[in-house]
Amino acid sequence: MMEYSKITIGMPVHNEEKLIHKAIESVLSQTFTDFQLIISDNRSTDKTEEICREYAKKDSRIVYFQQSENIGIETWMFLINRANSDYFVYLAGD
């Protein structure tokens, strides 16, 4: 089970290499720090995985999942089911 946080931010992504840096940095730049960012990658074929894994390695509040196949809209429930917090919000990777 993941560590408890006040807020879980769920980020579904697929081939977001051009903008994923900005999306993740926008979360990390917030003054409120009691959050967990869970990223569900729908089998990206660009550098999205590499970028997300680098961020997860640097910040323990970031958890990255690479799906074995593109699960489409099911990624939304995947993210909700992994939340361990009082609040949950989605954030687009772009």
Side-chain angles (χ1 to χ4, degrees):
M1 173 159 260
M2 288 190 252
E3 189 173 319
Y4 175 85
S5 298
K6 188 72 172 175
I7 298 173
T8 298
I9 302 159
M11 184 183 290
V13 299
H14 180 73
N15 292 340
E16 306 287 354
E17 74 175 312
K18 292 182 180 178
L19 296 172
I20 192 74
H21 290 286
K22 287 184 179 182
I24 294 173
E25 288 294 334
S26 74
V27 173
L28 297 178
S29 69
Q30 301 301 307
T31 56
F32 185 81
T33 59
D34 187 12
F35 66 84
Q36 183 166 56
L37 172 60
I38 305 173
I39 303 170
S40 176
D41 186 347
N42 263 337
R43 208 65 193 157
S44 292
T45 56
D46 63 2
K47 293 185 180 183
T48 300
E49 177 183 9
E50 179 183 329
I51 295 165
C52 291
R53 288 192 187 279
E54 281 300 312
Y55 274 101
K57 193 184 307 182
K58 294 176 189 174
D59 193 318
S60 63
R61 297 172 297 175
I62 301 173
V63 180
Y64 173 78
F65 292 97
Q66 167 110 83
Q67 301 300 332
S68 59
E69 62 184 349
N70 187 330
I71 60 174
I73 198 152
E74 291 300 315
T75 196
W76 298 86
M77 288 308 296
F78 176 88
L79 289 164
I80 288 174
N81 289 332
R82 272 138 194 90
N84 188 19
S85 60
D86 292 336
Y87 303 99
F88 181 89
V89 63
Y90 287 111
L91 177 67
D94 62 357

